[in-house]
Amino acid sequence: KAGVTQTPRYLIKTRGQQVTLSCSPISGHRSVSWYQQTPGQGLQFLFEYFSETQRNKGNFPGRFSGRQFSNSRSEMNVSTLELGDSALYLCATTTLAGSTDTQYFGPGTRLTVL
Amino acid sequence: EDQVTQSPEALRLQEGESSSLNCSYTVSGLRGLFWYRQDPGKGPEFLFTLYSAGEEKEKERLKATLTKKESFLHITAPKPEDSATYLCALGGGSQGNLIFGKGTKLSVKP
């Protein structure tokens, strides 16, 4: 069974630009959660999508947004990039919404903002 | 407020030297305690899920245990390939998300 895939793996952008990251879940997984990982803050929850609907959202500004498609693939978008947005962005997928089921992570997208 | 604290932040062991990593937590309603391993530049790799106090799970040299306030990840006779950051996460966050600790960076020297 193929694992969670994320594209691209690396991105370099400049301040003010926007970026779109993609996550394809494990087959049969319908819930996709996004996390930001930085050395100082660790892993922080961005949002969760299930059945094309955002179920939950973490404490991030509105510049961070996402969506989910009918095939459960998800994208997240960050507009007006800031230096502090440099991080490893991880998506995690599970069969059902909520966190009682194990979430499986992708390899991440390393975003560098210059 | 739901919270997870991992200790120590870093741990250096000699190959074969057993030890334990600690994960202390406070949560209003536990919906799973998860352990992950993360290698540099990679996504977290799932290790264990524990749901109730007294539960234990094992995988090769790793054993995870759970009490009402803590979880321990015991590493028996570690090898250099066990070097990684070990993350503990709570299920049941107020937003239905996982709440992660900052991790313990384990280094095992040959």
Side-chain angles (χ1 to χ4, degrees):
Chain A
K1 206 175 201 182
V4 180
T5 58
Q6 291 188 247
T7 57
R9 293 294 314 279
Y10 303 93
L11 268 177
I12 300 176
K13 294 286 187 179
T14 57
R15 280 181 298 173
Q17 288 187 308
Q18 74 166 18
V19 66
T20 299
L21 314 180
S22 179
C23 172
S24 293
I26 293 171
S27 177
H29 285 194
R30 295 169 58 195
S31 170
V32 178
S33 296
W34 289 89
Y35 293 83
Q36 180 194 67
Q37 186 175 31
T38 59
Q41 299 298 318
L43 272 143
Q44 293 185 289
F45 173 70
L46 282 158
F47 30 65
E48 179 190 14
Y49 284 87
F50 180 77
S51 293
E52 302 178 62
T53 302
Q54 185 180 89
R55 273 180 44 90
N56 296 299
K57 190 177 190 303
N59 297 323
F60 279 82
R63 300 185 297 108
F64 292 82
S65 63
R67 60 177 176 168
Q68 187 180 35
F69 302 95
S70 59
N71 62 357
S72 295
R73 188 177 71 86
S74 178
E75 289 181 347
M76 68 163 281
N77 184 77
V78 188
S79 62
T80 319
L81 284 166
E82 301 177 359
L83 295 178
D85 297 332
S86 294
L88 182 66
Y89 289 89
L90 294 158
C91 77
T93 77
T94 189
T95 50
L96 300 173
S99 55
T100 54
D101 292 330
T102 298
Q103 295 189 21
Y104 294 90
F105 284 82
T109 294
R110 171 71 63 186
L111 172 64
T112 301
V113 182
L114 302 176
Chain B
E1 183 185 349
D2 299 339
Q3 205 165 0
V4 182
T5 303
Q6 290 188 248
S7 61
E9 289 185 16
L11 182 62
R12 291 188 174 188
L13 299 175
Q14 288 296 125
E15 185 172 1
E17 180 186 3
S18 301
S19 188
S20 297
L21 313 182
N22 178 263
C23 172
S24 299
Y25 66 90
T26 54
V27 66
S28 54
L30 181 64
R31 297 172 66 196
L33 187 293
F34 302 83
W35 282 98
Y36 289 87
R37 167 194 171 128
Q38 187 174 27
D39 292 300
K42 297 188 177 181
E45 174 190 345
F46 170 72
L47 293 173
F48 303 108
T49 308
L50 302 167
Y51 287 105
S52 56
E55 191 174 359
E56 298 182 353
K57 288 193 176 174
E58 287 187 69
K59 178 181 179 181
E60 297 180 356
R61 295 177 292 282
L62 300 177
K63 179 180 177 180
T65 62
L66 182 66
T67 71
K68 288 186 178 179
K69 294 182 179 180
E70 297 176 296
S71 179
F72 292 93
L73 185 65
H74 307 280
I75 303 176
T76 302
K79 297 182 178 181
E81 53 262 42
D82 294 323
S83 297
T85 295
Y86 290 85
L87 297 165
C88 164
L90 277 181
S94 59
Q95 295 143 326
N97 54 293
L98 289 176
I99 302 169
F100 280 88
K102 295 289 179 68
T104 294
K105 184 175 182 180
L106 174 66
S107 298
V108 182
K109 302 299 181 185

